[in-house]
Amino acid sequence: MYSTAWCGVCKRARKYFQEAGISFVEYDVDENASARAEYLRLNPRRSVPTIKVGDEVIVGFSAQAVNAALD
């Protein structure tokens, strides 16, 4: 998940992953330049969170979209 510390939707996504027992790697695009470059390639609209599941990119957070991508 590409996120920022200040993003409320990122916090909701993080909480969902933790409560659902879904392992994830989080990259803070404000703090990590290489992660920011990859995030901008995946999502030129520059919105967080941007969640990558396999080859699928989810912009924003939807539990349904995450679960569908995991299935």
Side-chain angles (χ1 to χ4, degrees), residues 51-66:
I51 302 166
K52 188 169 188 261
V53 180
D55 292 331
E56 189 168 341
V57 176
I58 302 164
V59 177
F61 172 67
S62 159
Q64 294 83 6
V66 169

Side-chain angles (χ1 to χ4, degrees), residues 1-2 5 14 20 22 24 36 38 42 45 48 50-51 54 63:
M1 175 170 75
Y2 297 87
R14 190 178 303 115
I22 299 169
F24 68 103
R36 181 174 179 78
E38 177 65 6
L42 293 171
R45 293 186 306 176
V48 287
T50 296
I51 302 166

Side-chain angles (χ1 to χ4, degrees), residues 10-58:
C10 299
K11 290 176 187 171
R12 280 201 338 252
R14 190 178 303 115
K15 181 179 178 185
Y16 175 77
F17 291 143
Q18 291 167 344
E19 289 178 352
I22 299 169
S23 62
F24 68 103
V25 177
E26 186 169 7
Y27 302 99
D28 186 324
V29 299
D30 284 339
E31 301 294 325
N32 183 325
S34 61
R36 181 174 179 78
E38 177 65 6
Y39 148 77
L40 291 173
R41 186 186 71 74
L42 293 171
N43 178 12
R45 293 186 306 176
R46 300 178 176 210
S47 55
V48 287
T50 296
I51 302 166
K52 188 169 188 261
V53 180
D55 292 331
E56 189 168 341
V57 176
I58 302 164

